[in-house]
């Protein structure tokens, strides 16, 4: 199916059912936001206490590294909710009756597999994009122009690596639900193989949402309440079409 056909199909599947999809997504974002807020607040207070007691920059850096690792671990665990979000939209797309508790499917079923897939997606993002974020942060602290150049170079290199890899494994949670007999590693390999020849299609589909993303920003984020379910359903329709094409 062409991209506009997938988007029209997504609108049809969501007609009259936006409310439940918005509730599930808002609940997942609220849980993630509260978890990160607690970790960041504890990290900030701990670093301030350590620095005031020891006046050691190295000690503060060690504490920062610890809490960054803790935040990375929390991101992996929170990423398990993506299995539940995937299940919710698959149920919507197939005419089943989705429920809010679908969000926690990954914690109740195949949790080890869901953690493995979440870890792969999270580490892909961290390894490819965190260097540029660190250099940008260093630029803000040092206020030296050379650091912004280093950050932009790191960002360009990171995106060149991140985009094809992330596209290759982005639908792993769908395959985890479709092929429950496979391990997490087998699911990632299967996703990588199936996405050969489909990564460009998915990339162009994602680019097609950029104008809507800009409009949502202009609406002070209110438009995301409509756009996020629409995007998730479009990706679900993309997966179903990839696995069972019309031809």
């Amino acid at each position: 199916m062409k991209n506009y056909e997938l988007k029209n199909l997504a609108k049809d599947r969501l007609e009259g059912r936006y409310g439940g999809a918005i509730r599930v997504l808002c609940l997942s974002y609220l849980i993630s936001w509260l978890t990160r807020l607690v970790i960041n607040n504890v990290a900030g207070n701990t670093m301030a206490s350590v620095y005031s007691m020891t006046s050691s920059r190295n000690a503060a850096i060690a504490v920062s590294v610890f809490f960054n690792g803790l935040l990375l671990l929390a991101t992996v665990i929170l990423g398990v909710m993506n299995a539940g979000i995937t299940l919710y939209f698959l149920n919507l797309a197939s005419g089943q009756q989705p429920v809010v508790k679908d969000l926690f499917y990954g914690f109740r079923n195949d949790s080890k597999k869901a953690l493995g897939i979440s870890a792969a997606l999270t580490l892909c993002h961290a390894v490819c994009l965190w260097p540029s974020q660190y250099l940008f942060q260093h630029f803000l602290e040092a206020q030296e122009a050379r650091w912004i150049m280093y950050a932009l170079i790191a960002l360009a290199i990171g995106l060149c690596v991140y985009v094809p890899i992330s596209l290759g494994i982005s639908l792993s949670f769908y395959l985890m639900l479709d092929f429950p007999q496979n391990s997490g590693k087998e699911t990632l390999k299967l996703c990588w193989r199936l996405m050969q020849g489909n990564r460009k299609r998915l990339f162009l589909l994602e680019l097609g949402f950029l104008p809507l993303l800009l409009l949502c920003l202009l609406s002070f984020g209110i438009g995301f309440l409509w756009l996020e379910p629409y995007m998730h359903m479009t990706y679900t329709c993309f997966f179903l079409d990839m696995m069972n094409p019309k031809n």
Side-chain angles (χ1 to χ4, degrees):
M1 298 176 70
K2 298 189 181 299
N3 287 348
Y4 74 88
E5 293 177 312
L6 292 172
K7 291 178 179 179
N8 288 336
L9 181 59
K11 292 176 184 176
D12 292 340
R13 293 288 187 268
L14 282 169
E15 187 174 358
R17 310 181 83 175
Y18 269 102
I22 290 172
R23 284 195 296 271
V24 166
L25 291 175
C26 285
L27 179 58
S28 70
Y29 294 144
L30 179 62
I31 294 172
S32 298
W33 177 75
L34 287 175
T35 303
R36 292 185 173 91
L37 179 65
V38 170
I39 293 175
N40 286 329
N41 283 340
V42 173
N45 293 333
T46 304
M47 287 179 63
S49 300
V50 169
Y51 193 75
S52 63
M53 289 187 297
T54 65
S55 297
S56 171
R57 181 175 176 82
N58 290 335
I61 291 175
V63 173
S64 176
V65 170
F66 170 77
F67 278 103
N68 281 331
L70 184 61
L71 190 60
L72 182 64
L73 177 61
T75 302
V76 172
I77 295 173
L78 291 170
V80 173
M81 285 191 293
N82 287 318
I85 293 172
T86 300
L87 175 62
Y88 187 93
F89 281 92
L90 276 172
N91 283 333
L92 269 182
S94 59
Q96 303 297 318
Q97 184 59 44
V99 291
V100 174
K101 69 177 183 179
D102 286 344
L103 178 62
F104 306 103
Y105 172 88
F107 296 102
R108 302 192 312 266
N109 306 277
D110 295 325
S111 56
K112 183 178 179 181
K113 190 188 307 182
L115 273 172
I117 294 173
S118 177
L121 293 167
T122 302
L123 290 176
C124 174
H125 180 276
V127 171
C128 296
L129 299 182
W130 273 19
S132 62
Q133 295 175 12
Y134 171 79
L135 292 171
F136 274 120
Q137 183 64 35
H138 197 76
F139 162 74
L140 294 175
E141 295 174 356
Q143 293 295 316
E144 296 180 13
R146 62 191 178 97
W147 289 107
I148 191 68
M149 182 182 67
Y150 296 153
L152 291 174
I153 293 173
L155 179 61
I157 296 173
L159 286 175
C160 289
V161 177
Y162 174 72
V163 170
I165 294 178
S166 64
L167 288 172
I169 60 176
S170 60
L171 301 181
S172 295
F173 281 117
Y174 291 95
L175 290 169
M176 184 192 89
L177 297 171
D178 238 10
F179 299 93
Q181 72 277 11
N182 289 349
S183 66
K185 185 177 180 180
E186 290 170 339
T187 300
L188 290 167
K189 287 183 177 180
L190 177 61
C191 188
W192 184 265
R193 180 171 63 83
L194 290 175
M195 287 301 293
Q196 299 299 319
N198 286 296
R199 280 185 291 191
K200 182 179 178 181
R201 287 183 61 215
L202 182 57
F203 181 65
L204 293 176
L205 182 64
E206 291 180 343
L207 286 182
F209 288 115
L210 283 180
L212 293 176
L213 289 169
L214 293 175
L215 288 175
C216 288
L217 291 174
L218 294 176
S219 70
F220 301 101
I222 297 175
F224 284 109
L225 292 175
W226 168 81
L227 181 59
E228 285 287 339
Y230 175 41
M231 290 177 65
H232 277 284
M233 183 56 75
T234 305
Y235 296 144
T236 301
C237 293
F238 175 91
F239 170 75
L240 294 174
D241 177 62
M242 181 181 72
M243 300 300 289
N244 187 28
K246 287 192 297 185
N247 294 328

PDB file of all heavy atoms in Angstrom, residues 165-196:
ATOM      1  N   ILE A 165      19.863   1.682  11.341  1.00  0.00           N
ATOM      2  CA  ILE A 165      19.765   0.623  12.349  1.00  0.00           C
ATOM      3  C   ILE A 165      18.399   0.664  13.032  1.00  0.00           C
ATOM      4  O   ILE A 165      17.738  -0.364  13.206  1.00  0.00           O
ATOM      5  CB  ILE A 165      20.889   0.750  13.389  1.00  0.00           C
ATOM      6  CG1 ILE A 165      22.252   0.484  12.740  1.00  0.00           C
ATOM      7  CG2 ILE A 165      20.668  -0.231  14.544  1.00  0.00           C
ATOM      8  CD1 ILE A 165      23.419   0.643  13.676  1.00  0.00           C
ATOM      9  N   SER A 166      17.964   1.857  13.420  1.00  0.00           N
ATOM     10  CA  SER A 166      16.677   1.968  14.117  1.00  0.00           C
ATOM     11  C   SER A 166      15.521   1.559  13.217  1.00  0.00           C
ATOM     12  O   SER A 166      14.566   0.915  13.673  1.00  0.00           O
ATOM     13  CB  SER A 166      16.473   3.392  14.632  1.00  0.00           C
ATOM     14  OG  SER A 166      16.389   4.311  13.550  1.00  0.00           O
ATOM     15  N   LEU A 167      15.595   1.909  11.936  1.00  0.00           N
ATOM     16  CA  LEU A 167      14.546   1.491  11.008  1.00  0.00           C
ATOM     17  C   LEU A 167      14.525  -0.032  10.865  1.00  0.00           C
ATOM     18  O   LEU A 167      13.456  -0.638  10.722  1.00  0.00           O
ATOM     19  CB  LEU A 167      14.758   2.132   9.635  1.00  0.00           C
ATOM     20  CG  LEU A 167      14.478   3.635   9.527  1.00  0.00           C
ATOM     21  CD1 LEU A 167      14.913   4.152   8.172  1.00  0.00           C
ATOM     22  CD2 LEU A 167      13.002   3.936   9.758  1.00  0.00           C
ATOM     23  N   GLY A 168      15.702  -0.632  10.933  1.00  0.00           N
ATOM     24  CA  GLY A 168      15.787  -2.086  10.759  1.00  0.00           C
ATOM     25  C   GLY A 168      15.202  -2.886  11.898  1.00  0.00           C
ATOM     26  O   GLY A 168      14.809  -4.042  11.713  1.00  0.00           O
ATOM     27  N   ILE A 169      15.130  -2.303  13.098  1.00  0.00           N
ATOM     28  CA  ILE A 169      14.618  -3.055  14.253  1.00  0.00           C
ATOM     29  C   ILE A 169      13.406  -2.376  14.897  1.00  0.00           C
ATOM     30  O   ILE A 169      12.948  -2.803  15.952  1.00  0.00           O
ATOM     31  CB  ILE A 169      15.721  -3.243  15.320  1.00  0.00           C
ATOM     32  CG1 ILE A 169      16.233  -1.897  15.838  1.00  0.00           C
ATOM     33  CG2 ILE A 169      16.858  -4.087  14.766  1.00  0.00           C
ATOM     34  CD1 ILE A 169      17.252  -2.024  16.970  1.00  0.00           C
ATOM     35  N   SER A 170      12.885  -1.335  14.266  1.00  0.00           N
ATOM     36  CA  SER A 170      11.827  -0.527  14.880  1.00  0.00           C
ATOM     37  C   SER A 170      10.515  -1.279  15.073  1.00  0.00           C
ATOM     38  O   SER A 170       9.716  -0.927  15.940  1.00  0.00           O
ATOM     39  CB  SER A 170      11.574   0.733  14.042  1.00  0.00           C
ATOM     40  OG  SER A 170      11.180   0.373  12.729  1.00  0.00           O
ATOM     41  N   LEU A 171      10.258  -2.304  14.271  1.00  0.00           N
ATOM     42  CA  LEU A 171       8.993  -3.043  14.360  1.00  0.00           C
ATOM     43  C   LEU A 171       9.142  -4.352  15.144  1.00  0.00           C
ATOM     44  O   LEU A 171       8.311  -5.249  15.024  1.00  0.00           O
ATOM     45  CB  LEU A 171       8.460  -3.341  12.953  1.00  0.00           C
ATOM     46  CG  LEU A 171       8.205  -2.118  12.069  1.00  0.00           C
ATOM     47  CD1 LEU A 171       7.660  -2.543  10.718  1.00  0.00           C
ATOM     48  CD2 LEU A 171       7.236  -1.148  12.742  1.00  0.00           C
ATOM     49  N   SER A 172      10.175  -4.437  15.958  1.00  0.00           N
ATOM     50  CA  SER A 172      10.454  -5.689  16.682  1.00  0.00           C
ATOM     51  C   SER A 172       9.345  -6.068  17.649  1.00  0.00           C
ATOM     52  O   SER A 172       9.053  -7.254  17.844  1.00  0.00           O
ATOM     53  CB  SER A 172      11.781  -5.574  17.432  1.00  0.00           C
ATOM     54  OG  SER A 172      12.863  -5.431  16.535  1.00  0.00           O
ATOM     55  N   PHE A 173       8.707  -5.073  18.292  1.00  0.00           N
ATOM     56  CA  PHE A 173       7.643  -5.405  19.239  1.00  0.00           C
ATOM     57  C   PHE A 173       6.441  -6.011  18.529  1.00  0.00           C
ATOM     58  O   PHE A 173       5.751  -6.874  19.090  1.00  0.00           O
ATOM     59  CB  PHE A 173       7.224  -4.165  20.030  1.00  0.00           C
ATOM     60  CG  PHE A 173       8.161  -3.820  21.151  1.00  0.00           C
ATOM     61  CD1 PHE A 173       8.853  -2.623  21.157  1.00  0.00           C
ATOM     62  CD2 PHE A 173       8.359  -4.710  22.200  1.00  0.00           C
ATOM     63  CE1 PHE A 173       9.718  -2.306  22.199  1.00  0.00           C
ATOM     64  CE2 PHE A 173       9.225  -4.408  23.246  1.00  0.00           C
ATOM     65  CZ  PHE A 173       9.911  -3.197  23.233  1.00  0.00           C
ATOM     66  N   TYR A 174       6.174  -5.579  17.294  1.00  0.00           N
ATOM     67  CA  TYR A 174       5.095  -6.195  16.528  1.00  0.00           C
ATOM     68  C   TYR A 174       5.399  -7.673  16.273  1.00  0.00           C
ATOM     69  O   TYR A 174       4.528  -8.529  16.418  1.00  0.00           O
ATOM     70  CB  TYR A 174       4.918  -5.467  15.182  1.00  0.00           C
ATOM     71  CG  TYR A 174       4.367  -4.075  15.294  1.00  0.00           C
ATOM     72  CD1 TYR A 174       5.209  -2.968  15.336  1.00  0.00           C
ATOM     73  CD2 TYR A 174       2.994  -3.856  15.345  1.00  0.00           C
ATOM     74  CE1 TYR A 174       4.701  -1.687  15.424  1.00  0.00           C
ATOM     75  CE2 TYR A 174       2.476  -2.577  15.427  1.00  0.00           C
ATOM     76  CZ  TYR A 174       3.339  -1.491  15.474  1.00  0.00           C
ATOM     77  OH  TYR A 174       2.824  -0.222  15.565  1.00  0.00           O
ATOM     78  N   LEU A 175       6.633  -7.948  15.895  1.00  0.00           N
ATOM     79  CA  LEU A 175       7.028  -9.329  15.608  1.00  0.00           C
ATOM     80  C   LEU A 175       7.080 -10.173  16.874  1.00  0.00           C
ATOM     81  O   LEU A 175       6.836 -11.379  16.839  1.00  0.00           O
ATOM     82  CB  LEU A 175       8.383  -9.342  14.896  1.00  0.00           C
ATOM     83  CG  LEU A 175       8.359  -8.797  13.467  1.00  0.00           C
ATOM     84  CD1 LEU A 175       9.769  -8.597  12.942  1.00  0.00           C
ATOM     85  CD2 LEU A 175       7.586  -9.734  12.547  1.00  0.00           C
ATOM     86  N   MET A 176       7.404  -9.543  17.999  1.00  0.00           N
ATOM     87  CA  MET A 176       7.396 -10.265  19.267  1.00  0.00           C
ATOM     88  C   MET A 176       5.993 -10.795  19.567  1.00  0.00           C
ATOM     89  O   MET A 176       5.830 -11.919  20.062  1.00  0.00           O
ATOM     90  CB  MET A 176       7.855  -9.337  20.394  1.00  0.00           C
ATOM     91  CG  MET A 176       7.979 -10.021  21.753  1.00  0.00           C
ATOM     92  SD  MET A 176       8.182  -8.875  23.131  1.00  0.00           S
ATOM     93  CE  MET A 176       6.463  -8.569  23.543  1.00  0.00           C
ATOM     94  N   LEU A 177       4.981  -9.990  19.254  1.00  0.00           N
ATOM     95  CA  LEU A 177       3.598 -10.408  19.487  1.00  0.00           C
ATOM     96  C   LEU A 177       3.127 -11.394  18.430  1.00  0.00           C
ATOM     97  O   LEU A 177       2.327 -12.290  18.721  1.00  0.00           O
ATOM     98  CB  LEU A 177       2.688  -9.180  19.494  1.00  0.00           C
ATOM     99  CG  LEU A 177       2.959  -8.166  20.603  1.00  0.00           C
ATOM    100  CD1 LEU A 177       2.151  -6.893  20.376  1.00  0.00           C
ATOM    101  CD2 LEU A 177       2.629  -8.748  21.962  1.00  0.00           C
ATOM    102  N   ASP A 178       3.618 -11.242  17.196  1.00  0.00           N
ATOM    103  CA  ASP A 178       3.193 -12.108  16.096  1.00  0.00           C
ATOM    104  C   ASP A 178       3.854 -13.486  16.149  1.00  0.00           C
ATOM    105  O   ASP A 178       3.276 -14.473  15.716  1.00  0.00           O
ATOM    106  CB  ASP A 178       3.527 -11.436  14.766  1.00  0.00           C
ATOM    107  CG  ASP A 178       2.293 -11.237  13.908  1.00  0.00           C
ATOM    108  OD1 ASP A 178       1.182 -11.439  14.420  1.00  0.00           O
ATOM    109  OD2 ASP A 178       2.436 -10.875  12.733  1.00  0.00           O
ATOM    110  N   PHE A 179       5.088 -13.528  16.665  1.00  0.00           N
ATOM    111  CA  PHE A 179       5.841 -14.788  16.733  1.00  0.00           C
ATOM    112  C   PHE A 179       6.336 -15.007  18.160  1.00  0.00           C
ATOM    113  O   PHE A 179       7.534 -14.879  18.439  1.00  0.00           O
ATOM    114  CB  PHE A 179       7.028 -14.750  15.762  1.00  0.00           C
ATOM    115  CG  PHE A 179       6.634 -14.591  14.323  1.00  0.00           C
ATOM    116  CD1 PHE A 179       6.565 -13.330  13.747  1.00  0.00           C
ATOM    117  CD2 PHE A 179       6.324 -15.690  13.542  1.00  0.00           C
ATOM    118  CE1 PHE A 179       6.200 -13.166  12.417  1.00  0.00           C
ATOM    119  CE2 PHE A 179       5.961 -15.548  12.216  1.00  0.00           C
ATOM    120  CZ  PHE A 179       5.891 -14.281  11.653  1.00  0.00           C
ATOM    121  N   PRO A 180       5.428 -15.319  19.087  1.00  0.00           N
ATOM    122  CA  PRO A 180       5.812 -15.442  20.500  1.00  0.00           C
ATOM    123  C   PRO A 180       6.783 -16.582  20.773  1.00  0.00           C
ATOM    124  O   PRO A 180       7.415 -16.616  21.829  1.00  0.00           O
ATOM    125  CB  PRO A 180       4.466 -15.682  21.208  1.00  0.00           C
ATOM    126  CG  PRO A 180       3.574 -16.235  20.146  1.00  0.00           C
ATOM    127  CD  PRO A 180       3.996 -15.582  18.874  1.00  0.00           C
ATOM    128  N   GLN A 181       6.910 -17.528  19.822  1.00  0.00           N
ATOM    129  CA  GLN A 181       7.823 -18.647  20.044  1.00  0.00           C
ATOM    130  C   GLN A 181       9.283 -18.247  19.869  1.00  0.00           C
ATOM    131  O   GLN A 181      10.185 -18.977  20.304  1.00  0.00           O
ATOM    132  CB  GLN A 181       7.492 -19.806  19.081  1.00  0.00           C
ATOM    133  CG  GLN A 181       7.854 -19.562  17.628  1.00  0.00           C
ATOM    134  CD  GLN A 181       6.792 -18.766  16.882  1.00  0.00           C
ATOM    135  OE1 GLN A 181       5.865 -18.217  17.493  1.00  0.00           O
ATOM    136  NE2 GLN A 181       6.903 -18.709  15.567  1.00  0.00           N
ATOM    137  N   ASN A 182       9.545 -17.107  19.228  1.00  0.00           N
ATOM    138  CA  ASN A 182      10.918 -16.658  18.994  1.00  0.00           C
ATOM    139  C   ASN A 182      11.490 -15.976  20.230  1.00  0.00           C
ATOM    140  O   ASN A 182      10.769 -15.319  20.983  1.00  0.00           O
ATOM    141  CB  ASN A 182      10.973 -15.688  17.815  1.00  0.00           C
ATOM    142  CG  ASN A 182      10.727 -16.364  16.480  1.00  0.00           C
ATOM    143  OD1 ASN A 182      10.722 -17.589  16.396  1.00  0.00           O
ATOM    144  ND2 ASN A 182      10.518 -15.581  15.439  1.00  0.00           N
ATOM    145  N   SER A 183      12.795 -16.101  20.400  1.00  0.00           N
ATOM    146  CA  SER A 183      13.480 -15.375  21.469  1.00  0.00           C
ATOM    147  C   SER A 183      13.641 -13.906  21.066  1.00  0.00           C
ATOM    148  O   SER A 183      13.367 -13.527  19.917  1.00  0.00           O
ATOM    149  CB  SER A 183      14.850 -15.996  21.733  1.00  0.00           C
ATOM    150  OG  SER A 183      15.697 -15.818  20.603  1.00  0.00           O
ATOM    151  N   GLY A 184      14.109 -13.087  22.006  1.00  0.00           N
ATOM    152  CA  GLY A 184      14.318 -11.685  21.689  1.00  0.00           C
ATOM    153  C   GLY A 184      15.344 -11.489  20.581  1.00  0.00           C
ATOM    154  O   GLY A 184      15.159 -10.676  19.675  1.00  0.00           O
ATOM    155  N   LYS A 185      16.429 -12.257  20.635  1.00  0.00           N
ATOM    156  CA  LYS A 185      17.472 -12.161  19.614  1.00  0.00           C
ATOM    157  C   LYS A 185      16.939 -12.587  18.254  1.00  0.00           C
ATOM    158  O   LYS A 185      17.215 -11.937  17.229  1.00  0.00           O
ATOM    159  CB  LYS A 185      18.663 -13.034  20.014  1.00  0.00           C
ATOM    160  CG  LYS A 185      19.858 -12.928  19.075  1.00  0.00           C
ATOM    161  CD  LYS A 185      21.010 -13.775  19.589  1.00  0.00           C
ATOM    162  CE  LYS A 185      22.220 -13.678  18.657  1.00  0.00           C
ATOM    163  NZ  LYS A 185      23.359 -14.506  19.146  1.00  0.00           N
ATOM    164  N   GLU A 186      16.167 -13.665  18.228  1.00  0.00           N
ATOM    165  CA  GLU A 186      15.583 -14.139  16.971  1.00  0.00           C
ATOM    166  C   GLU A 186      14.583 -13.120  16.417  1.00  0.00           C
ATOM    167  O   GLU A 186      14.499 -12.930  15.197  1.00  0.00           O
ATOM    168  CB  GLU A 186      14.898 -15.484  17.196  1.00  0.00           C
ATOM    169  CG  GLU A 186      15.857 -16.627  17.462  1.00  0.00           C
ATOM    170  CD  GLU A 186      15.139 -17.888  17.911  1.00  0.00           C
ATOM    171  OE1 GLU A 186      13.994 -17.789  18.384  1.00  0.00           O
ATOM    172  OE2 GLU A 186      15.743 -18.978  17.790  1.00  0.00           O
ATOM    173  N   THR A 187      13.857 -12.472  17.305  1.00  0.00           N
ATOM    174  CA  THR A 187      12.892 -11.455  16.876  1.00  0.00           C
ATOM    175  C   THR A 187      13.600 -10.275  16.229  1.00  0.00           C
ATOM    176  O   THR A 187      13.163  -9.779  15.185  1.00  0.00           O
ATOM    177  CB  THR A 187      12.066 -10.974  18.084  1.00  0.00           C
ATOM    178  OG1 THR A 187      11.371 -12.081  18.658  1.00  0.00           O
ATOM    179  CG2 THR A 187      11.057  -9.924  17.654  1.00  0.00           C
ATOM    180  N   LEU A 188      14.690  -9.824  16.831  1.00  0.00           N
ATOM    181  CA  LEU A 188      15.455  -8.708  16.255  1.00  0.00           C
ATOM    182  C   LEU A 188      16.034  -9.085  14.896  1.00  0.00           C
ATOM    183  O   LEU A 188      16.011  -8.284  13.950  1.00  0.00           O
ATOM    184  CB  LEU A 188      16.566  -8.291  17.218  1.00  0.00           C
ATOM    185  CG  LEU A 188      16.116  -7.589  18.504  1.00  0.00           C
ATOM    186  CD1 LEU A 188      17.257  -7.527  19.507  1.00  0.00           C
ATOM    187  CD2 LEU A 188      15.603  -6.188  18.203  1.00  0.00           C
ATOM    188  N   LYS A 189      16.552 -10.312  14.783  1.00  0.00           N
ATOM    189  CA  LYS A 189      17.098 -10.764  13.505  1.00  0.00           C
ATOM    190  C   LYS A 189      16.009 -10.857  12.436  1.00  0.00           C
ATOM    191  O   LYS A 189      16.224 -10.470  11.283  1.00  0.00           O
ATOM    192  CB  LYS A 189      17.779 -12.129  13.675  1.00  0.00           C
ATOM    193  CG  LYS A 189      19.102 -12.082  14.405  1.00  0.00           C
ATOM    194  CD  LYS A 189      19.730 -13.478  14.458  1.00  0.00           C
ATOM    195  CE  LYS A 189      21.102 -13.450  15.114  1.00  0.00           C
ATOM    196  NZ  LYS A 189      21.714 -14.809  15.157  1.00  0.00           N
ATOM    197  N   LEU A 190      14.848 -11.375  12.829  1.00  0.00           N
ATOM    198  CA  LEU A 190      13.738 -11.489  11.889  1.00  0.00           C
ATOM    199  C   LEU A 190      13.282 -10.107  11.422  1.00  0.00           C
ATOM    200  O   LEU A 190      13.009  -9.899  10.232  1.00  0.00           O
ATOM    201  CB  LEU A 190      12.572 -12.229  12.555  1.00  0.00           C
ATOM    202  CG  LEU A 190      11.294 -12.367  11.724  1.00  0.00           C
ATOM    203  CD1 LEU A 190      11.564 -13.152  10.438  1.00  0.00           C
ATOM    204  CD2 LEU A 190      10.193 -13.034  12.545  1.00  0.00           C
ATOM    205  N   CYS A 191      13.210  -9.166  12.348  1.00  0.00           N
ATOM    206  CA  CYS A 191      12.808  -7.808  11.995  1.00  0.00           C
ATOM    207  C   CYS A 191      13.807  -7.194  11.024  1.00  0.00           C
ATOM    208  O   CYS A 191      13.420  -6.560  10.027  1.00  0.00           O
ATOM    209  CB  CYS A 191      12.692  -6.944  13.264  1.00  0.00           C
ATOM    210  SG  CYS A 191      11.995  -5.313  12.977  1.00  0.00           S
ATOM    211  N   TRP A 192      15.085  -7.388  11.290  1.00  0.00           N
ATOM    212  CA  TRP A 192      16.127  -6.847  10.414  1.00  0.00           C
ATOM    213  C   TRP A 192      16.000  -7.428   9.005  1.00  0.00           C
ATOM    214  O   TRP A 192      16.144  -6.718   8.010  1.00  0.00           O
ATOM    215  CB  TRP A 192      17.495  -7.142  11.005  1.00  0.00           C
ATOM    216  CG  TRP A 192      18.632  -6.547  10.229  1.00  0.00           C
ATOM    217  CD1 TRP A 192      19.383  -7.152   9.267  1.00  0.00           C
ATOM    218  CD2 TRP A 192      19.136  -5.220  10.363  1.00  0.00           C
ATOM    219  NE1 TRP A 192      20.331  -6.284   8.778  1.00  0.00           N
ATOM    220  CE2 TRP A 192      20.209  -5.088   9.432  1.00  0.00           C
ATOM    221  CE3 TRP A 192      18.809  -4.128  11.162  1.00  0.00           C
ATOM    222  CZ2 TRP A 192      20.942  -3.908   9.293  1.00  0.00           C
ATOM    223  CZ3 TRP A 192      19.539  -2.951  11.022  1.00  0.00           C
ATOM    224  CH2 TRP A 192      20.586  -2.854  10.094  1.00  0.00           C
ATOM    225  N   ARG A 193      15.708  -8.726   8.934  1.00  0.00           N
ATOM    226  CA  ARG A 193      15.592  -9.379   7.627  1.00  0.00           C
ATOM    227  C   ARG A 193      14.340  -8.902   6.880  1.00  0.00           C
ATOM    228  O   ARG A 193      14.394  -8.619   5.681  1.00  0.00           O
ATOM    229  CB  ARG A 193      15.545 -10.898   7.809  1.00  0.00           C
ATOM    230  CG  ARG A 193      15.435 -11.675   6.496  1.00  0.00           C
ATOM    231  CD  ARG A 193      15.611 -13.167   6.721  1.00  0.00           C
ATOM    232  NE  ARG A 193      14.583 -13.723   7.570  1.00  0.00           N
ATOM    233  CZ  ARG A 193      13.382 -14.082   7.135  1.00  0.00           C
ATOM    234  NH1 ARG A 193      13.059 -13.933   5.855  1.00  0.00           N
ATOM    235  NH2 ARG A 193      12.504 -14.610   7.963  1.00  0.00           N
ATOM    236  N   LEU A 194      13.217  -8.808   7.592  1.00  0.00           N
ATOM    237  CA  LEU A 194      11.975  -8.397   6.948  1.00  0.00           C
ATOM    238  C   LEU A 194      11.997  -6.936   6.499  1.00  0.00           C
ATOM    239  O   LEU A 194      11.311  -6.570   5.544  1.00  0.00           O
ATOM    240  CB  LEU A 194      10.793  -8.613   7.904  1.00  0.00           C
ATOM    241  CG  LEU A 194      10.419 -10.061   8.192  1.00  0.00           C
ATOM    242  CD1 LEU A 194       9.327 -10.132   9.248  1.00  0.00           C
ATOM    243  CD2 LEU A 194       9.956 -10.761   6.917  1.00  0.00           C
ATOM    244  N   MET A 195      12.795  -6.121   7.197  1.00  0.00           N
ATOM    245  CA  MET A 195      12.830  -4.701   6.844  1.00  0.00           C
ATOM    246  C   MET A 195      13.744  -4.411   5.656  1.00  0.00           C
ATOM    247  O   MET A 195      13.777  -3.277   5.170  1.00  0.00           O
ATOM    248  CB  MET A 195      13.281  -3.870   8.057  1.00  0.00           C
ATOM    249  CG  MET A 195      12.213  -3.746   9.143  1.00  0.00           C
ATOM    250  SD  MET A 195      10.691  -2.988   8.552  1.00  0.00           S
ATOM    251  CE  MET A 195      11.259  -1.327   8.202  1.00  0.00           C
ATOM    252  N   GLN A 196      14.490  -5.403   5.211  1.00  0.00           N
ATOM    253  CA  GLN A 196      15.295  -5.215   4.009  1.00  0.00           C
ATOM    254  C   GLN A 196      14.355  -4.907   2.836  1.00  0.00           C
ATOM    255  O   GLN A 196      13.480  -5.692   2.507  1.00  0.00           O
ATOM    256  CB  GLN A 196      16.106  -6.480   3.704  1.00  0.00           C
ATOM    257  CG  GLN A 196      17.086  -6.870   4.788  1.00  0.00           C
ATOM    258  CD  GLN A 196      18.147  -5.813   5.051  1.00  0.00           C
ATOM    259  OE1 GLN A 196      18.676  -5.208   4.130  1.00  0.00           O
ATOM    260  NE2 GLN A 196      18.439  -5.589   6.323  1.00  0.00           N
TER     261      GLN A 196
END
